[in-house]
């Protein structure tokens, strides 16, 4: 998490840790499938997305959920982000991959 936080400062993309709140796990229940990939009640979207992804990651692995959807568009220009599509998270992910390749 500290690496992502540092890279977020570098790219201008805010990074924070959200809780994997177990009380929201039931929001992924489905009448038709093993589980839904979105909150069936329309709340806690980023948290339920992370809870969904967690189901597919081995418990011994470190992982992060980069919620790119919420910041997909900006209404006005601010800093390096121009009005329109932001590409939010892409710079962060690219820097993370570059950092990992430098340290291996």
């Amino acid at each position: 998490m500290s690496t992502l936080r540092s890279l977020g400062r570098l790219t201008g993309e805010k990074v924070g840790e959200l809780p994997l709140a177990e009380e929201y796990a039931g929001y992924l229940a489905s009448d038709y499938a093993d589980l839904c990939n979105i909150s069936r009640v329309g709340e806690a979207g980023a948290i339920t997305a992370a809870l969904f992804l967690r189901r597919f990651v081995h418990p011994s692995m470190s992982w992060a959920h980069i919620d790119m959807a919420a910041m997909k568009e900006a209404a006005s220009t601010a800093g390096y982000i121009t009005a329109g599509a932001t590409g939010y998270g892409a710079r962060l992910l690219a820097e993370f991959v570059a950092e990992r390749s430098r340290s291996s």
Side-chain angles (χ1 to χ4, degrees):
M1 183 62 182
S2 64
T3 300
L4 284 174
R5 196 171 280 126
S6 297
L7 293 172
R9 285 190 290 275
L10 176 71
T11 62
E13 297 173 349
K14 293 179 174 59
V15 174
E17 192 168 351
L18 292 175
L20 289 175
E22 294 301 325
E23 59 265 27
Y24 297 135
Y27 291 4
L28 298 173
S30 171
D31 294 333
Y32 309 104
D34 293 337
L35 70 156
C36 288
N37 66 342
I38 60 172
S39 170
R40 65 180 170 78
V41 298
E43 45 186 67
I47 293 172
T48 55
L51 288 167
F52 174 81
L53 293 173
R54 181 181 67 179
R55 301 278 298 260
F56 301 96
V57 178
H58 192 275
S60 67
M61 294 181 69
S62 296
W63 63 281
H65 170 225
I66 300 172
D67 189 20
M68 298 175 167
M71 295 291 293
K72 68 180 180 169
E73 293 181 57
S76 61
T77 298
Y80 73 91
I81 296 175
T82 58
T86 66
Y88 183 87
R91 291 174 196 86
L92 176 66
L93 191 54
E95 286 295 331
F96 181 76
V97 170
E99 176 70 23
R100 295 285 297 197
S101 69
R102 286 189 292 270
S103 64
S104 59

